[in-house]
Amino acid sequence: MASLDTLFEAARAIQAKAYAPYSRFKVGAAIATPSGQLFIGCNVENAAYPVGSCAEAGAISAMIAAGESRIAEIVVMGEGEHLVTPCGGCRQRIREFATPDTPIHIAGPEGIRKRFTLDELLPFSFGPDNLTDR
Ligand code: THU
């Protein structure tokens, strides 16, 4: 398993590569899978604003492209003093590949600021079970 330090450094490194000329708000995300692999993503904005994508979405795409589909833990690194927790859409994206107790670590440049579980950020969530369990 990639250590939390390794995940943190990976999120910081990919955050620097974000393409965010419009918001000027760079985000990096690093996912560890149960098999020990690590996947990274950054936000990629677009002149057509709604087409931009979040860092978490990029990391999830890389994970799926590599044939992995379970998130063991994730680090999200944003800018500024506030906690940069995943947006609502990304909470749902993470939900698809995580369990209620999957840790979501929120980081700033100085280190990990806070740890949430997925269930804390997205309680009573809708997921794959809703479609199969009927
Ligand atoms: N952003 C992310 O990449 N992840 C989040 O969870 C929150 C927001 C990006 C999207 C946009 O490029 C910029 O941050 C400002 O909203």
Side-chain angles (χ1 to χ4, degrees):
M1 174 71 67
S3 73
L4 189 52
D5 269 0
T6 304
L7 273 187
F8 170 78
E9 290 302 340
R12 184 157 68 176
I14 192 63
Q15 180 194 28
K17 294 183 176 172
Y19 178 75
Y22 306 108
S23 71
R24 304 210 167 278
F25 190 82
K26 294 186 169 193
V27 185
I31 289 171
T33 62
S35 72
Q37 291 202 70
L38 190 161
F39 299 99
I40 53 176
C42 57
N43 52 333
V44 181
E45 298 184 346
N46 193 283
Y49 291 180
V51 179
S53 58
C54 286
E56 298 91 325
I60 288 171
S61 289
M63 176 185 77
I64 294 298
E68 296 264 332
S69 59
R70 284 164 62 205
I71 297 173
E73 57 183 336
I74 180 168
V75 171
V76 179
M77 163 98 60
E79 295 196 66
E81 300 297 310
H82 291 97
L83 286 178
V84 179
T85 50
C87 75
C90 285
R91 293 177 196 204
Q92 186 68 37
R93 288 189 178 94
I94 294 166
R95 162 68 176 90
E96 186 75 13
F97 307 108
T99 63
D101 59 347
T102 298
I104 298 174
H105 305 277
I106 309 305
E110 77 289 352
I112 302 291
R113 291 179 178 172
K114 199 163 168 62
R115 172 195 193 277
F116 296 94
T117 64
L118 172 65
D119 199 50
E120 287 173 317
L121 295 184
L122 194 67
F124 302 104
S125 63
F126 182 87
D129 290 351
N130 289 97
L131 301 180
T132 55
D133 182 23
R134 61 188 161 136

